[in-house]
Amino acid sequence: GENVEQHPSTLSVQEGDSAVIKCTYSDSASNYFPWYKQELGKRPQLIIDIRSNVGEKKDQRIAVTLNKTAKHFSLHITETQPEDSAVYFCAASRPTGRRALTFGSGTRLQVQP
Amino acid sequence: EPEVTQTPSHQVTQMGQEVILRCVPISNHLYFYWYRQILGQKVEFLVSFYNNEISEKSEIFDDQFSVERPDGSNFTLKIRSTKLEDSAMYFCASKTAGNTEAFFGQGTRLTVV
Protein backbone atom coordinates (compact mmCIF):
# COMPACT_ATOMS: atom_id res chain seq x y z
CA GLY A 1 0.00 0.00 0.00
CA GLU A 2 0.84 3.67 -0.05
CA ASN A 3 3.45 5.05 2.33
CA VAL A 4 3.87 8.78 2.85
CA GLU A 5 6.96 10.18 4.55
CA GLN A 6 6.97 13.76 5.83
CA HIS A 7 9.81 16.02 6.96
CA PRO A 8 10.62 17.79 9.14
CA SER A 9 8.66 16.70 12.18
CA THR A 10 9.02 20.15 13.75
CA LEU A 11 9.79 23.49 12.20
CA SER A 12 10.28 26.81 13.92
CA VAL A 13 10.48 30.02 11.91
CA GLN A 14 10.39 33.72 12.61
CA GLU A 15 7.30 35.63 11.63
CA GLY A 16 7.62 36.76 8.04
CA ASP A 17 9.97 33.96 7.04
CA SER A 18 9.06 31.14 4.68
CA ALA A 19 8.38 27.56 5.72
CA VAL A 20 8.78 24.47 3.56
CA ILE A 21 7.47 21.01 4.39
CA LYS A 22 8.33 18.03 2.21
CA CYS A 23 6.63 14.71 1.58
CA THR A 24 7.44 11.66 -0.46
CA TYR A 25 5.05 8.93 -1.49
CA SER A 26 5.58 5.37 -2.64
CA ASP A 27 2.61 4.51 -4.86
CA SER A 28 3.13 5.80 -8.37
CA ALA A 29 -0.61 5.44 -9.00
CA SER A 30 -1.42 8.13 -6.41
CA ASN A 31 -2.68 11.25 -8.12
CA TYR A 32 -4.26 13.43 -5.44
CA PHE A 33 -2.20 15.20 -2.80
CA PRO A 34 -3.95 17.37 -0.21
CA TRP A 35 -2.43 19.27 2.67
CA TYR A 36 -4.31 19.59 5.94
CA LYS A 37 -3.79 22.01 8.80
CA GLN A 38 -4.73 20.82 12.26
CA GLU A 39 -4.89 23.18 15.20
CA LEU A 40 -4.69 21.72 18.68
CA GLY A 41 -7.73 19.60 19.48
CA LYS A 42 -9.46 20.40 16.21
CA ARG A 43 -10.29 18.64 12.99
CA PRO A 44 -7.90 18.52 10.04
CA GLN A 45 -8.84 21.20 7.53
CA LEU A 46 -7.82 21.23 3.91
CA ILE A 47 -5.64 24.20 3.01
CA ILE A 48 -4.57 23.28 -0.51
CA ASP A 49 -4.49 20.26 -2.77
CA ILE A 50 -2.88 19.30 -6.05
CA ARG A 51 -3.59 16.68 -8.64
CA SER A 52 -0.95 14.93 -10.64
CA ASN A 53 -1.77 16.70 -13.89
CA VAL A 54 -0.21 19.92 -12.56
CA GLY A 55 3.20 20.65 -11.10
CA GLU A 56 2.39 23.65 -8.95
CA LYS A 57 -0.58 25.36 -7.38
CA LYS A 58 -0.71 28.58 -5.43
CA ASP A 59 -3.29 30.17 -3.16
CA GLN A 60 -2.18 33.49 -1.69
CA ARG A 61 0.68 32.72 0.73
CA ILE A 62 0.45 28.97 0.26
CA ALA A 63 1.84 26.94 -2.63
CA VAL A 64 2.30 23.27 -3.33
CA THR A 65 4.69 21.73 -5.81
CA LEU A 66 4.63 18.19 -7.13
CA ASN A 67 7.38 16.18 -8.77
CA LYS A 68 5.78 12.99 -10.09
CA THR A 69 9.03 11.53 -11.33
CA ALA A 70 10.65 11.79 -7.94
CA LYS A 71 7.36 11.12 -6.14
CA HIS A 72 7.61 14.06 -3.83
CA PHE A 73 5.55 17.12 -3.10
CA SER A 74 6.11 20.14 -0.92
CA LEU A 75 4.15 22.81 0.89
CA HIS A 76 5.50 26.34 0.85
CA ILE A 77 4.16 29.03 3.18
CA THR A 78 5.49 32.53 2.62
CA GLU A 79 5.31 35.52 4.97
CA THR A 80 4.43 33.29 7.88
CA GLN A 81 2.21 34.63 10.64
CA PRO A 82 1.69 33.39 14.21
CA GLU A 83 -1.73 32.04 13.23
CA ASP A 84 0.02 29.67 10.82
CA SER A 85 1.28 27.76 13.88
CA ALA A 86 -0.30 24.31 13.75
CA VAL A 87 0.41 20.74 12.70
CA TYR A 88 0.44 20.25 8.94
CA PHE A 89 -0.23 16.87 7.35
CA CYS A 90 0.37 15.87 3.77
CA ALA A 91 -1.63 13.02 2.29
CA ALA A 92 -1.95 11.01 -0.89
CA SER A 93 -4.62 8.91 -2.54
CA ARG A 94 -5.11 6.91 -5.71
CA PRO A 95 -7.50 7.85 -8.49
CA THR A 96 -10.74 6.07 -7.60
CA GLY A 97 -13.03 8.06 -5.36
CA ARG A 98 -13.33 5.30 -2.83
CA ARG A 99 -9.67 5.34 -1.93
CA ALA A 100 -8.84 6.74 1.43
CA LEU A 101 -6.13 9.21 2.23
CA THR A 102 -2.76 8.02 3.49
CA PHE A 103 -1.34 10.68 5.75
CA GLY A 104 2.20 11.69 6.52
CA SER A 105 3.37 11.86 10.10
CA GLY A 106 2.82 15.59 10.43
CA THR A 107 4.96 18.70 10.88
CA ARG A 108 4.51 20.93 13.88
CA LEU A 109 5.09 24.48 12.64
CA GLN A 110 5.80 27.15 15.21
CA VAL A 111 5.91 30.74 13.99
CA GLN A 112 7.72 32.95 16.47
CA PRO A 113 6.40 36.53 16.63
CA GLU B 1 -21.63 25.94 5.22
CA PRO B 2 -22.47 22.24 5.53
CA GLU B 3 -20.24 20.22 7.79
CA VAL B 4 -19.71 16.72 9.07
CA THR B 5 -20.95 16.37 12.62
CA GLN B 6 -19.91 13.76 15.16
CA THR B 7 -21.33 12.73 18.50
CA PRO B 8 -20.35 12.49 21.24
CA SER B 9 -17.38 14.85 21.37
CA HIS B 10 -15.85 12.84 24.20
CA GLN B 11 -16.61 9.33 25.43
CA VAL B 12 -15.08 7.53 28.37
CA THR B 13 -15.66 3.81 28.54
CA GLN B 14 -14.52 0.82 30.54
CA MET B 15 -12.24 -1.67 28.86
CA GLY B 16 -14.29 -4.46 27.32
CA GLN B 17 -17.37 -2.31 26.79
CA GLU B 18 -18.97 -1.63 23.43
CA VAL B 19 -19.01 1.89 22.06
CA ILE B 20 -20.79 3.43 19.11
CA LEU B 21 -19.46 6.60 17.57
CA ARG B 22 -21.89 8.53 15.42
CA CYS B 23 -21.42 10.72 12.40
CA VAL B 24 -23.71 12.67 10.14
CA PRO B 25 -21.91 13.20 6.83
CA ILE B 26 -22.68 16.08 4.49
CA SER B 27 -25.96 15.26 2.79
CA ASN B 28 -24.95 14.94 -0.87
CA HIS B 29 -21.73 13.09 -0.17
CA LEU B 30 -21.29 9.53 -1.35
CA TYR B 31 -18.08 8.33 0.28
CA PHE B 32 -17.65 7.96 4.01
CA TYR B 33 -14.60 7.26 6.08
CA TRP B 34 -13.43 6.67 9.60
CA TYR B 35 -9.94 7.64 10.65
CA ARG B 36 -8.30 7.63 14.04
CA GLN B 37 -5.53 9.69 15.54
CA ILE B 38 -3.71 8.53 18.64
CA LEU B 39 -2.58 11.54 20.66
CA GLY B 40 0.40 13.23 19.03
CA GLN B 41 0.48 10.86 16.08
CA LYS B 42 -0.65 10.92 12.50
CA VAL B 43 -4.15 10.37 11.20
CA GLU B 44 -4.64 6.70 10.30
CA PHE B 45 -7.23 5.27 7.95
CA LEU B 46 -9.66 2.72 9.36
CA VAL B 47 -12.41 2.09 6.81
CA SER B 48 -14.16 3.52 3.78
CA PHE B 49 -17.81 3.01 2.90
CA TYR B 50 -19.61 3.50 -0.39
CA ASN B 51 -22.92 2.34 -1.80
CA ASN B 52 -23.86 0.78 1.54
CA GLU B 53 -20.84 -1.42 1.82
CA ILE B 54 -17.26 -1.33 2.97
CA SER B 55 -14.93 -0.37 0.12
CA GLU B 56 -11.64 -0.73 1.89
CA LYS B 57 -10.34 -1.32 5.37
CA SER B 58 -6.97 -1.11 7.02
CA GLU B 59 -5.27 -3.71 9.17
CA ILE B 60 -6.42 -1.73 12.21
CA PHE B 61 -10.05 -2.43 11.34
CA ASP B 62 -10.28 -5.95 12.74
CA ASP B 63 -13.29 -8.01 13.81
CA GLN B 64 -13.86 -5.75 16.81
CA PHE B 65 -14.85 -2.91 14.50
CA SER B 66 -17.94 -2.52 12.38
CA VAL B 67 -19.61 0.29 10.47
CA GLU B 68 -23.17 0.91 9.53
CA ARG B 69 -25.28 3.46 7.74
CA PRO B 70 -28.59 2.60 9.35
CA ASP B 71 -30.92 5.28 8.02
CA GLY B 72 -29.38 7.11 5.07
CA SER B 73 -28.04 9.96 7.16
CA ASN B 74 -26.07 8.53 10.07
CA PHE B 75 -22.80 6.66 9.73
CA THR B 76 -21.66 4.77 12.80
CA LEU B 77 -18.50 3.07 13.99
CA LYS B 78 -18.90 0.35 16.59
CA ILE B 79 -16.13 -1.09 18.67
CA ARG B 80 -17.40 -4.28 20.26
CA SER B 81 -14.97 -4.80 23.11
CA THR B 82 -12.78 -1.79 23.68
CA LYS B 83 -9.11 -2.08 24.60
CA LEU B 84 -6.87 0.51 26.22
CA GLU B 85 -5.10 0.99 22.89
CA ASP B 86 -8.35 2.04 21.25
CA SER B 87 -8.04 5.35 23.07
CA ALA B 88 -7.73 7.95 20.33
CA MET B 89 -9.52 10.70 18.49
CA TYR B 90 -11.84 9.22 15.89
CA PHE B 91 -12.64 11.32 12.85
CA CYS B 92 -15.41 10.74 10.39
CA ALA B 93 -14.98 12.18 6.90
CA SER B 94 -17.06 12.36 3.76
CA LYS B 95 -16.70 13.51 0.20
CA THR B 96 -18.70 13.73 -2.99
CA ALA B 97 -16.90 11.79 -5.69
CA GLY B 98 -13.56 11.26 -7.33
CA ASN B 99 -10.55 13.08 -6.04
CA THR B 100 -12.37 15.78 -4.21
CA GLU B 101 -11.86 17.29 -0.81
CA ALA B 102 -12.61 15.06 2.15
CA PHE B 103 -14.40 16.98 4.89
CA PHE B 104 -13.64 15.93 8.42
CA GLY B 105 -15.88 16.03 11.44
CA GLN B 106 -14.68 17.58 14.66
CA GLY B 107 -13.85 14.17 16.09
CA THR B 108 -14.83 12.01 19.04
CA ARG B 109 -12.21 11.60 21.71
CA LEU B 110 -12.50 8.03 23.00
CA THR B 111 -10.86 7.26 26.31
CA VAL B 112 -10.77 3.62 27.42
CA VAL B 113 -10.04 3.12 31.12
Side-chain angles (χ1 to χ4, degrees), chain A residues 8 18 27 29-30 40 45 49 66 69 76-77 85 88 100 113:
Chain A
S18 294
D27 188 348
S30 290
L40 191 62
Q45 293 204 294
D49 58 12
L66 170 66
T69 304
H76 304 253
I77 306 174
S85 296
Y88 291 80

Side-chain angles (χ1 to χ4, degrees), chain B residues 1-99:
Chain B
E1 184 178 331
E3 58 180 26
V4 177
T5 56
Q6 290 183 242
T7 54
S9 56
H10 189 192
Q11 172 126 22
V12 181
T13 189
Q14 296 275 346
M15 190 169 55
Q17 294 296 304
E18 174 183 286
V19 294
I20 297 176
L21 310 183
R22 302 179 192 280
C23 169
V24 179
I26 295 173
S27 62
N28 64 335
H29 285 190
L30 302 175
Y31 301 90
F32 314 111
Y33 304 87
W34 283 101
Y35 293 85
R36 80 170 186 192
Q37 186 178 33
I38 295 170
L39 187 64
Q41 297 187 22
K42 69 177 174 181
V43 178
E44 298 176 290
F45 167 67
L46 292 178
V47 65
S48 60
F49 194 86
Y50 170 76
N51 201 26
N52 286 320
E53 60 182 18
I54 290 175
S55 299
E56 185 185 6
K57 55 186 180 180
S58 73
E59 62 277 5
I60 303 169
F61 194 88
D62 62 22
D63 292 345
Q64 293 299 313
F65 291 87
S66 63
V67 290
E68 199 174 41
R69 188 155 160 80
D71 57 13
S73 61
N74 292 284
F75 179 50
T76 61
L77 175 70
K78 182 192 291 186
I79 309 175
R80 289 191 184 83
S81 178
T82 50
K83 308 184 191 76
L84 295 176
E85 54 265 37
D86 293 328
S87 296
M89 181 74 91
Y90 288 80
F91 290 105
C92 172
S94 69
K95 66 181 186 181
T96 51
N99 282 336

Side-chain angles (χ1 to χ4, degrees), chain A residues 33-44:
Chain A
F33 307 94
W35 286 88
Y36 284 83
K37 176 182 180 182
Q38 188 179 32
E39 295 173 355
L40 191 62
K42 297 195 174 177
R43 75 187 82 189

